[in-house]
Amino acid sequence: MKRIFALSCGFYLLIGITSVVLGALLPVLLSYYERGYSDGGFLLFLQFLGFLVGVLVSPVLTARIGRKAMLTFALICIVAAYTLLGFLPSWPVVLLLTIIVGFGSGIIEPSVGAFTIEFTENQKAVAMSKLDVFFALGALLIPAVAALFIWMDLWHLTFYTVAVLSLVLMLLWITMPRPAALYLQQAGENTVAHAAGKTRYSKKHLGLLTIFVIFFFIYMGLELGLMNFLPSILVERLQLQESVASLSVSILWIAMIIGRLFSGKIAEAVNYMPFLIWSTVGTFLFAVAMVFVTGQWATYLLIFGTGLFMSGLFCIALVYANVLIPGMTERTTSILIASGGIGGAILQYVTGWSMSTGPVVNTIWILAGFCLILLLTLIVSHLWTVKNNAVRAALAQHSKEM
């Protein structure tokens, strides 16, 4: 299990890289192909579309061909796509390869996440938070690598770098020791057996799933809105230079990495729901404070605090949802990650619209509003669980009396 978990961390490092590498290279990529930012937006949308398809087919592929073969296939897609991208092919081919990258990444994230949640016997939140640390590391480091290659005027080597990393991970994956391979096979058989034994959500679990779908939809809109628009917010709000304002994203990622090192242990110690509620409240308070603070360094401190409180929301909510909805880990994880992807795509548009049509303070209020919706969904999920548990206890008592 330790070997498999180490490889799982490698998978999350890779999808952290693939999630941001195109954005880091977008200015030089569009310049090389003589394209505009609308084409860049379409390119990123195609990657998201491929990711969404990968997420949705992941449970089916797990049941059909097994997790090891499926993840090997996903890695082959990523290695091949980035290798070909390094040759700088024609623009239509770039669009196709971008879809393939998204597809491979979409297969990996829910499958590895579901496996970790389902087969980590203790400290599930700690395990998931460790995976998210590696995701954040990938997303933090690859822009620096891309910037170095851009400075050297060899920016296309970034694609080869990702391809080589993916190839190394694939070789480690397919040559894992036999005990680890047998454990993975047995785990896959157990997953299929669970899925066959429980093919539908109960009414109670369907209600909870709907609540968490809303949570992940809004959360990814908040996270990606901050990641992509923080520099623009600081340029408009504080009149900072773009190069200085761009540091805000690095500060946010560093804070999230630090937070994820401890969020799992804290969540296991205080229980999932209190952790999620206080994390959401803290994120809301720091976001609102940005409306009233106009100093550069104070704003950076607020961004750091926001990152700390946000750091555990995604992975702990994913673990908590699967604890409340047992026996459907693969499917539930895929649905929640897919809803997050859709929310990120749609709500980024809302954030961009706000930036272009009104004062920047309105955008900050919108992001804070996202936090309030997150808090509301958590409260509703808690009340839903308490109500259903009370009804079940009452029915059990009535049966005894009969």
Side-chain angles (χ1 to χ4, degrees):
M1 184 61 188
K2 290 183 179 179
R3 175 66 178 264
I4 294 174
F5 184 72
L7 289 170
S8 298
C9 292
F11 277 115
Y12 262 60
L13 178 75
L14 177 61
I15 59 174
I17 289 171
T18 60
S19 67
V20 301
V21 66
L22 270 182
L25 292 174
L26 204 58
V28 288
L29 188 69
L30 296 179
S31 176
Y32 176 83
Y33 284 100
E34 298 180 346
R35 299 280 172 168
Y37 276 102
S38 59
D39 297 297
F42 183 62
L43 185 71
L44 295 175
F45 173 76
L46 288 180
Q47 182 175 0
F48 156 73
L49 191 63
F51 178 85
L52 181 61
V53 173
V55 167
L56 294 176
V57 304
S58 176
V60 178
L61 290 178
T62 299
R64 292 283 179 86
I65 64 175
R67 188 175 276 107
K68 184 177 181 180
M70 179 185 66
L71 292 176
T72 302
F73 171 67
L75 288 170
I76 290 172
C77 289
I78 293 173
V79 170
Y82 277 116
T83 300
L84 293 174
L85 282 170
F87 288 103
L88 302 179
S90 63
W91 183 250
V93 176
V94 170
L95 297 180
L96 176 61
L97 294 174
T98 300
I99 295 174
I100 293 173
V101 167
F103 178 72
S105 300
I107 288 175
I108 290 171
E109 184 171 356
S111 178
V112 174
F115 175 83
T116 302
I117 292 170
E118 188 167 359
F119 296 102
T120 301
E121 295 180 1
N122 299 306
Q123 304 285 304
K124 294 177 185 290
V126 174
M128 277 303 298
S129 63
K130 287 180 180 178
L131 289 187
D132 264 1
V133 167
F134 281 88
F135 180 97
L137 280 173
L140 176 67
L141 295 177
I142 197 62
V145 173
L148 176 62
F149 282 131
I150 291 171
W151 176 74
M152 296 168 61
D153 200 25
L154 296 169
W155 56 271
H156 65 286
L157 294 183
T158 308
F159 294 127
Y160 290 131
T161 302
V162 181
V164 170
L165 289 172
S166 305
L167 180 61
V168 170
L169 180 60
M170 185 175 70
L171 292 175
L172 292 172
W173 177 250
I174 63 179
T175 60
M176 70 171 66
R178 181 171 174 78
L182 289 175
Y183 179 85
L184 189 69
Q185 181 181 352
Q186 182 62 45
E189 291 172 357
N190 291 341
T191 298
V192 173
H194 290 163
K198 186 176 181 182
T199 58
R200 292 187 179 184
Y201 291 100
S202 66
K203 184 177 179 181
K204 169 194 169 183
H205 290 157
L206 190 59
L208 280 171
L209 181 66
T210 302
I211 295 168
F212 278 102
V213 162
I214 297 171
F215 179 93
F216 280 87
F217 183 93
I218 298 297
Y219 173 80
M220 288 308 299
L222 172 65
E223 181 180 291
L224 293 179
L226 285 170
M227 298 298 176
N228 293 324
F229 292 100
L230 257 183
S232 299
I233 289 173
L234 296 190
V235 168
E236 295 290 332
R237 178 83 169 148
L238 307 180
Q239 286 76 52
L240 299 179
Q241 293 182 352
E242 292 181 356
S243 58
V244 176
S246 65
L247 290 174
S248 59
V249 178
S250 297
I251 291 171
L252 190 67
W253 272 118
I254 290 170
M256 292 185 78
I257 290 172
I258 294 172
R260 286 171 181 176
L261 290 172
F262 304 100
S263 59
K265 293 181 179 180
I266 295 172
E268 294 286 358
V270 303
N271 293 326
Y272 298 149
M273 180 55 72
F275 175 87
L276 289 170
I277 286 179
W278 285 112
S279 294
T280 306
V281 170
T283 304
F284 170 73
L285 293 176
F286 274 96
V288 169
M290 285 190 227
V291 174
F292 304 101
V293 172
T294 55
Q296 177 181 341
W297 293 109
T299 301
Y300 282 154
L301 285 175
L302 291 177
I303 291 169
F304 187 85
T306 302
L308 283 179
F309 276 98
M310 282 182 62
S311 60
L313 280 175
F314 184 91
C315 64
I316 304 304
L318 194 61
V319 171
Y320 186 52
N322 279 290
V323 168
L324 293 178
I325 310 173
M328 304 281 277
T329 305
E330 193 89 27
R331 189 181 302 179
T332 299
T333 302
S334 293
I335 290 171
L336 295 181
I337 291 177
S339 66
I342 296 170
I346 294 175
L347 296 182
Q348 274 192 98
Y349 175 80
V350 173
T351 307
W353 168 82
S354 174
M355 288 287 295
S356 62
T357 58
V360 70
V361 69
N362 289 352
T363 302
I364 301 175
W365 279 117
I366 287 174
L367 295 174
F370 290 164
C371 298
L372 281 180
I373 298 174
L374 293 180
L375 183 60
L376 180 62
T377 59
L378 291 173
I379 293 172
V380 171
S381 71
H382 179 66
L383 294 176
W384 183 281
T385 303
V386 169
K387 177 183 175 182
N388 279 278
N389 288 343
V391 170
R392 188 165 54 193
L395 290 174
Q397 182 64 31
H398 179 71
S399 298
K400 289 181 180 180
E401 293 174 357
M402 296 290 288

